[in-house]
Each structure stands twice: as C-alpha cells, then as structure tokens.
Amino acid sequence: MAASRSDSESVPAIERLCGPDIGPRLWDHNVTFNTDHPDLTPCFQKTILVWIPCVYLWVIFPLYFLYLRQSSRGYIRVTMLNRVKTVLGVLLWIVCWSDLFYSLDEVLNEKARALAYFISPLLLGVTMLLATFLIQYERLRGLQSSGMLFFFWLIALLCAVIPFRSNILLALGEGGVSDVFRLTTFYIYFVLVLIQFFLCCFSEPPPYFCRTSPDANPCPEANAGFLSRLTFWWFTA
C-alpha cells in the first residue's frame, strides 16, 4: 500500500488528469525528438496546449480591464465586423462546452473518461466567453483594434495547429477516426479561431464623441488596426 501511494505521488498532477485513455505520459522524448515524425504526446495536447491561451487571457485580463475603464474614447456603434466576431465567440463557447457535455453523457453511460476531458473544455469555454465579453467592452470603450485579443487568437491558433496536424496523421495512420464527435468539434473550433484571428486584423470605425483631428489630411496610423501598426502597413495607406 505504501509503495503504491508513493508511486501515485511521484506521478505529476497533470498526468493524473490524462489517465490511460488519453496517455499516461505528459512528455516523451521518443515522441518529440527521437523520431522522424516529431509530435507532442496526447496528454500534452489535451492539457498544456489548451491551457496556454486561457492562462494568457486570464492573467492579463484584470490589468487590461482597469486600463479600459480608465480610457474613454467614446463608443463604437455595432458594426457587421463586431457582430460577426461576437457570434463567432459564442459559437466557440458552444463548441467547447459541447465536448464537456459529451463527456458527461459518456459518464452517464458508464464510460469512464479522464479528468482532462472535463477540465480543458470547461476552462476553454469560459475563456471564450471572456474573449467575447472583451470584444463588446472594447467597443463600448471606443477601442478600434485590440492588441490583447490579437495575441490571444494568435496563441490559440498556434496551439491548435499541433493537434490539427496530429489528428490528420493519426487518422491516416489508423485508416479511420475513433472519436468522430471530438474530432469534428476540434476542426470546427480550429476554423472559428482562424476566422477570429483574421477578423482581429481589421480595425473598427472611429468612435462617437471622440476628438477629431483638425488636419485635413490626418495620419492614417490613428485609425489603423493593431497588425497594421505592428508591421507599419498603415504607412502605405
């Protein structure tokens, strides 16, 4: 009994969240380095890669929220761009929590699932709701382009690229898909995040009640999007 207890305590907490149905190891050099087809373990993909964009947004959110409250530039009316981003954010929340409810349904049908199947979609779904809230709150505070959400969607997209590749290789290697539902929801999630990242590159129109420049030919940087400022693309406008 003492030996089994010490063995369980020596296993990292994240690996205990994965269990045998995902993969017992968080990191494996034979999977990542000592191979012709480098990849990350399923446990790493189901936990760390899902949590990275969530941790980024939740850590920065308190200070960013205070910054938005103190900055008043008027408000931006609801545009088509803003509506599409909001709808996509809600759809991302639905997709993430669909995995959660699917796992709960499996438990009700007496099919054991690892804790990662519950924790990761729950955390990711709540994070998508937070991102959707920020889309609307930035509009109310007159922010035309969000650097914070730009990096959030970029990080989420980069973290989804690895499972995207892994799922394709796994399906080709096995000649089929064992978990059709989760594979479908993942690819829907990937496409929605890709669209959100693309839309985040565009800038909203100027807010109401903001100070207008008296210059007849104002600098285009003022209304340029975050990516345009980052790459100095506004300079060619």
Side-chain angles (χ1 to χ4, degrees):
M1 179 68 68
S4 62
R5 182 178 301 176
S6 61
D7 291 341
S8 63
E9 290 178 354
S10 63
V11 177
I14 297 180
E15 292 186 0
R16 292 199 294 269
L17 294 179
C18 295
D21 51 341
I22 295 179
R25 303 192 65 178
L26 179 66
W27 186 264
D28 191 343
H29 287 281
N30 294 325
V31 175
T32 308
F33 296 111
N34 303 329
T35 178
D36 295 332
H37 303 283
D39 202 352
L40 295 174
T41 64
C43 183
F44 194 97
Q45 296 182 26
K46 294 290 185 181
T47 55
I48 301 298
L49 287 185
V50 176
W51 300 348
I52 287 176
C54 302
V55 171
Y56 162 79
L57 192 62
W58 284 102
V59 168
I60 300 181
F61 170 71
L63 294 177
Y64 187 64
F65 182 75
L66 292 176
Y67 162 74
L68 290 177
R69 287 195 62 182
Q70 295 177 357
S71 63
S72 179
R73 309 174 187 175
Y75 71 94
I76 300 174
R77 65 178 182 178
V78 179
T79 61
M80 181 59 66
L81 177 61
N82 185 267
R83 290 174 181 171
V84 173
K85 290 192 293 186
T86 302
V87 170
L88 291 178
V90 175
L91 288 177
L92 281 166
W93 166 67
I94 294 175
V95 169
C96 294
W97 276 26
S98 295
D99 283 348
L100 173 63
F101 290 124
Y102 184 72
S103 299
L104 292 174
D105 181 71
E106 288 181 324
V107 172
L108 294 177
N109 291 320
E110 299 182 354
K111 185 176 182 180
R113 279 301 184 187
L115 288 176
Y117 281 118
F118 301 91
I119 297 176
S120 294
L122 175 64
L123 177 60
L124 193 59
V126 174
T127 304
M128 292 304 166
L129 283 181
L130 177 62
T132 306
F133 164 77
L134 285 176
I135 291 172
Q136 287 299 319
Y137 194 68
E138 288 175 343
R139 177 185 66 83
L140 295 176
R141 305 307 294 178
L143 189 65
Q144 295 177 255
S145 182
S146 174
M148 179 182 178
L149 287 181
F150 172 85
F151 284 113
F152 169 72
W153 296 121
L154 177 61
I155 294 172
L157 182 62
L158 293 177
C159 289
V161 167
I162 297 176
F164 181 88
R165 171 184 175 272
S166 299
N167 288 329
I168 293 177
L169 294 178
L170 182 63
L172 293 176
E174 296 181 352
V177 178
S178 57
D179 196 342
V180 178
F181 182 84
R182 288 191 176 88
L183 185 66
T184 303
T185 54
F186 171 76
Y187 283 121
I188 294 175
Y189 166 84
F190 182 84
V191 172
L192 293 177
V193 170
L194 179 61
I195 297 174
Q196 282 280 39
F197 173 71
F198 176 75
L199 294 179
C200 197
C201 298
F202 295 93
S203 178
E204 295 282 358
Y208 285 101
F209 309 116
C210 65
R211 296 179 180 179
T212 58
S213 175
D215 192 353
N217 188 21
C219 178
E221 182 183 7
N223 296 320
F226 177 79
L227 182 61
S228 179
R229 295 182 181 182
L230 197 64
T231 59
F232 292 95
W233 186 257
W234 60 269
F235 196 79
T236 62

